[in-house]
Amino acid sequence: MPESRLVGPVRVVGVGLLGTSIGLGLRARGLDVILADASPTHLSIAIDYGAGRAELPDDRPQLIVVCVPPDVTAQVVAAELARFEHAIVTDVASVKLAPLHELRASGADVSRYVGTHPMAGAERGGPLSGRADLFQGRPWVVAAHDGISYQRGSAIDDLILDLGGTLVEMTPEDHDRSVALVSHVPQVISSLLARRLIDAPSAAVNLAGQGLRDMTRIAASDPQLWVQILGANAAPVAGILNQFRHDLDRLIETLEAPEAVGAPRRLAEELAGGNAGVARIPGKHGLDRRYSQLVVMVDDRPGELARLFTEIGEAGVNLEDLRLEHSPGAQIGFADIAVLPERLGHLTEWLTERGWRIA
């Protein structure tokens, strides 16, 4: 069992995806984890799942992690600060400035509070979605403020490191502006694009490939949660969407007159701008390294994907990333494999010799 930096106990309030995953990760390090939730059913599932235990009257947690919806985060944090006068309290809500303002306005003891935000999650929530490794290698923002000392807040750093996260320090203001760009606006655009599919002919929807699936994956997220997130971070999101609207209007004007002088150049510049933006997104292990793609056809029968992975390993090639796509109406799939450019030729030859079909 790996050694823990935290001493514990750790109290987790709210056992959805994040709360349950935090509990599972800490229990894997042998820590005493106390679980609490407004839903008795969710609490029972999380306990049965092994994420922690029910609370006892004499509990004295070292650290409290609040994992509740954004609209009640400040209220729950204030209650935990008042109930446990010696504990450090944090939360994992996806907005940081609004809860801090609300806590200060209520007179809560923010000298024992720091907000955080792990950049990890999934479209589906609830305790059954929890994973002990959810935070491994993921950025975890600590939105520090002047009201708490580094020494007091060190337990929060220990929590992040114990769970395998990568600690990132930001102000609450910078955090909210940043997540508006990289998380909240993508959610809005994905949802609006997916809405176009509601009345689309079935013949069109049946043509959907991986590009549409990639762009609409997060549109399956919980609308009630996102109403709260977008409402709490409305100004930064609206600002970026206004810029996006300007870009979209410019592109529409170009497409309405595609044969006009300069139209092809303007289209090319817009698309090239997208290339430049994608190149800035960190890749595996936070690197901006570009990979080469290899698409392998995989028969849809048990064991084929495992055989492919095994033979990639036998080739001495590290699989940097993977995307799977199924061909509608055919018993075949496509494994889009990312490898280092210098290994592409060797892997292609290796797999071809072993009977794999390269698309």
Side-chain angles (χ1 to χ4, degrees), residues 186-321:
Q187 176 66 47
V188 172
I189 294 173
S190 176
S191 296
L192 292 178
L193 175 60
R195 280 178 59 87
R196 298 297 93 209
L197 302 177
I198 295 175
D199 298 321
S202 296
V205 176
N206 289 340
L207 297 177
Q210 196 60 41
L212 183 66
R213 297 177 198 277
D214 287 346
M215 291 193 66
T216 58
R217 177 181 60 82
I218 57 175
S221 301
D222 180 4
Q224 292 182 342
L225 174 62
W226 275 99
V227 166
Q228 296 179 32
I229 293 172
L230 293 172
N233 203 27
V237 171
I240 296 169
L241 286 174
N242 275 319
Q243 296 171 346
F244 183 75
R245 179 170 60 185
H246 175 72
D247 293 341
L248 194 58
D249 286 342
R250 186 172 63 246
L251 182 62
I252 290 172
E253 290 175 3
T254 302
L255 291 174
E256 286 176 340
E259 297 180 358
V261 175
R265 177 182 57 80
R266 288 193 296 273
L267 283 175
E269 288 174 349
E270 296 292 342
L271 297 173
N275 293 159
V278 167
R280 294 203 63 203
I281 300 174
K284 184 181 177 186
H285 307 312
L287 301 177
D288 267 332
R289 179 177 291 168
R290 310 310 299 165
Y291 301 122
S292 294
Q293 306 298 128
L294 179 68
V295 180
V296 182
M297 301 172 69
V298 182
D299 291 332
D300 189 9
R301 59 174 183 258
E304 283 297 280
L305 197 57
R307 182 169 71 89
L308 174 62
F309 293 162
T310 298
E311 295 189 353
I312 292 173
E314 290 174 348
V317 175
N318 190 46
L319 194 156
E320 304 292 344
D321 203 356

Side-chain angles (χ1 to χ4, degrees), residues 27 35 48 88 96 126 129 162 203-204 231-232 263 268 272 322 354 357:
R27 288 295 302 133
L35 302 179
D48 288 347
I88 301 300
K96 299 275 64 94
S129 300
D162 276 354
L322 170 72
R354 282 151 184 79
R357 292 168 291 171

Side-chain angles (χ1 to χ4, degrees), residues 86-127:
H86 301 287
I88 301 300
V89 181
T90 188
D91 73 273
V92 295
S94 56
V95 289
K96 299 275 64 94
L97 192 58
L100 180 59
H101 283 336
E102 190 175 339
L103 285 166
R104 282 175 167 161
S106 71
D109 181 10
V110 295
S111 70
R112 294 186 288 114
Y113 163 78
V114 173
T116 73
H117 181 206
M119 301 301 292
E123 298 82 57
R124 300 187 183 278

Side-chain angles (χ1 to χ4, degrees), residues 3-10 26 29-33 60-63 154-155 158-159 162:
E3 185 177 350
S4 174
R5 295 171 179 82
L6 286 169
V7 177
V10 176
L26 295 178
R29 288 182 170 270
L31 280 169
D32 182 17
V33 179
R60 288 177 59 86
Q62 173 198 13
L63 176 66
S154 62
D158 291 341
L159 168 75
D162 276 354

